[in-house]
Amino acid sequence: ALGVTGLVGYAYFAFLDEVPISHRKRWIATSPRWERSLGDHEYNNLLTEFKRKGQILPPDHRASVTVKRVGSRIAKAAAKFASEHDMTNMSNSPYTYTVVRSDMANAFVLPNNHVFVFTGLFRYIQNEDDLAAVMGHEMAHNLARHAGERMSGGIVVNLLARLSLLIDPSGAIFTVFLPAAQLFRELPHSRTQETEADQ
């Protein structure tokens, strides 16, 4: 039993990481390299899907030019922040900016610096400062490696869910565990990450 406890303790402390923005300690089992690889893979999948539907605005479109201009300024600030906080694990890949024609008011950034902005967002922003606030928030999620943190939490939840089936093959614990895990772990963590990205 001590061996298992020691192994669990080692696994916890070996993958303990600190968010540079808030100094919050969190457990991340994914490597920055793996996160970047996953980001590239998802980026290529999304590009294929959006191109097939004819939804990607050309690079010389006014919205694309604006997104790239605003994003480039934020990218410089992000690189400076990473340098000042000795974040050697951060990607130095150039940012990509993709503007997607859609009524959805959304923006997100994938690991390895892939920025997506949906045109529905432009209904709610008045100027470049508003756009910068949204894009800066999304790019800060990337800087804080929140995607890796969420994936790591998902690994633990899935592992515990599978272990619950060993204890109770009927699945009664399993059906209670997953919603409880979302309520007590994922939602508070999501709010914490949103606050960190705002900061």
Side-chain angles (χ1 to χ4, degrees), residues 12-168:
Y12 177 75
F13 288 106
F15 295 103
L16 205 56
D17 185 73
E18 183 177 286
V19 181
I21 297 165
S22 66
H23 305 292
R24 174 178 62 89
K25 299 279 188 190
R26 78 298 182 54
W27 188 78
I28 297 188
T30 57
S31 72
R33 183 177 178 181
W34 186 79
E35 292 164 23
R36 290 193 293 268
S37 173
L38 193 66
D40 287 344
H41 180 73
E42 186 60 22
Y43 169 68
N44 289 321
N45 285 345
L46 287 172
L47 274 188
T48 300
E49 179 185 340
F50 292 137
K51 280 180 181 174
R52 184 177 53 79
K53 295 177 180 177
Q55 290 180 282
I56 296 179
L57 295 185
D60 60 349
H61 190 282
R62 192 176 82 172
S64 301
V65 170
T66 301
V67 164
K68 186 172 182 178
R69 180 174 56 247
V70 171
S72 296
R73 292 199 305 257
I74 297 168
K76 284 181 189 171
K80 182 180 177 192
F81 181 89
S83 174
E84 289 171 352
H85 290 81
D86 195 29
M87 298 169 67
T88 55
N89 61 3
M90 289 310 296
S91 170
N92 58 5
S93 297
Y95 278 79
T96 64
Y97 303 95
T98 306
V99 181
V100 180
R101 186 180 288 108
S102 169
D103 290 337
M104 191 183 308
N106 195 19
F108 62 89
V109 181
L110 296 172
N112 214 22
N113 304 332
H114 302 296
V115 180
F116 285 83
V117 175
F118 293 83
T119 55
L121 184 64
F122 292 107
R123 291 195 313 265
Y124 300 98
I125 59 175
Q126 303 298 314
N127 50 44
E128 289 191 10
D129 289 341
D130 290 350
L131 178 61
V134 174
M135 290 179 67
H137 173 93
E138 296 305 326
M139 292 164 85
H141 278 305
N142 216 24
L143 202 58
R145 291 184 60 208
H146 285 156
E149 183 179 356
R150 283 192 304 274
M151 285 185 275
S152 298
I155 291 167
V156 172
V157 168
N158 285 331
L159 180 63
L160 292 174
R162 291 181 190 279
L163 287 174
S164 76
L165 290 173
L166 291 175
I167 296 166
D168 174 27

Side-chain angles (χ1 to χ4, degrees), residues 1-10:
L2 184 59
V4 173
T5 304
L7 183 62
V8 170
Y10 171 78

